[in-house]
Amino acid sequence: HNKIGDDGISAIAATLNSSNVSFLDVRSCDITILGVKCLSTTFSTNQNIRNLWLRGNDIKVDGARLITQAAVDNGKCELVFFGFGSQYEDDDVVKKMCSILADRRSQNASNKDSSKDVDGTKQKSLEESPQQQP
């Protein structure tokens, strides 16, 4: 884990605005709420980021609230991970935002599963099968 701190995450966040990065793992990088503010701004312009791992950073409850709200507002993000047993898990706001993200993740997973049935492949193969003669 690189100790990039707030300056490093700010530089990364600036480049993410026009990238296709979907998974960002910045565990134990000495990020504080200042760095989280930059990341939350990035969420408003980059809807490719689906997963963000922030475990081991000192972002405080306010930072956890800010980034989870930004992830929810993003519309595409599915997971913000603070680490199992995180101090933020007990905060009602963070808990609510993470629940919304979990629901989104489940919905996207079920949409992927159902798209296998509704993409026309099964129906088309039945339509193209020869009719049985009596």
Side-chain angles (χ1 to χ4, degrees):
H1 303 280
N2 295 316
K3 306 291 184 190
I4 60 173
D6 295 329
D7 290 339
I9 199 61
S10 296
I12 289 171
T15 63
L16 289 175
N17 288 331
S18 60
S19 79
N20 292 324
V21 171
S22 63
F23 180 86
L24 184 60
D25 182 349
V26 288
R27 289 179 284 175
S28 301
C29 290
D30 285 345
I31 299 169
T32 69
I33 192 167
L34 297 174
V36 166
K37 286 179 181 179
C38 292
L39 280 176
S40 64
T41 301
T42 297
F43 271 114
S44 67
T45 57
N46 182 331
Q47 293 193 335
N48 293 316
I49 299 172
R50 304 264 196 248
N51 296 286
L52 174 63
W53 287 43
L54 284 166
R55 180 181 181 178
N57 292 290
D58 189 24
I59 63 171
K60 308 285 187 222
V61 170
D62 287 342
R65 288 177 177 179
L66 183 66
I67 198 65
T68 53
Q69 182 65 59
V72 167
D73 292 347
N74 167 282
K76 301 281 181 155
C77 186
E78 298 176 347
L79 176 67
V80 175
F81 184 67
F82 301 112
F84 296 112
S86 164
Q87 67 211 27
Y88 313 120
E89 289 178 357
D90 294 331
D91 182 77
D92 290 338
V93 174
V94 173
K95 202 181 294 186
K96 180 182 177 186
M97 296 300 117
C98 287
S99 176
I100 292 169
L101 294 175
D103 289 347
R104 182 181 295 158
R105 192 168 52 253
S106 295
Q107 181 65 37
N108 288 343
S110 67
N111 285 346
K112 288 177 187 174
D113 289 342
S114 66
S115 70
K116 294 175 186 173
D117 295 332
V118 295
D119 67 359
T121 305
K122 288 183 180 179
Q123 184 178 0
K124 187 175 181 182
S125 64
L126 290 174
E127 290 172 359
E128 291 177 355
S129 61
Q131 297 290 326
Q132 289 186 347
Q133 299 295 326

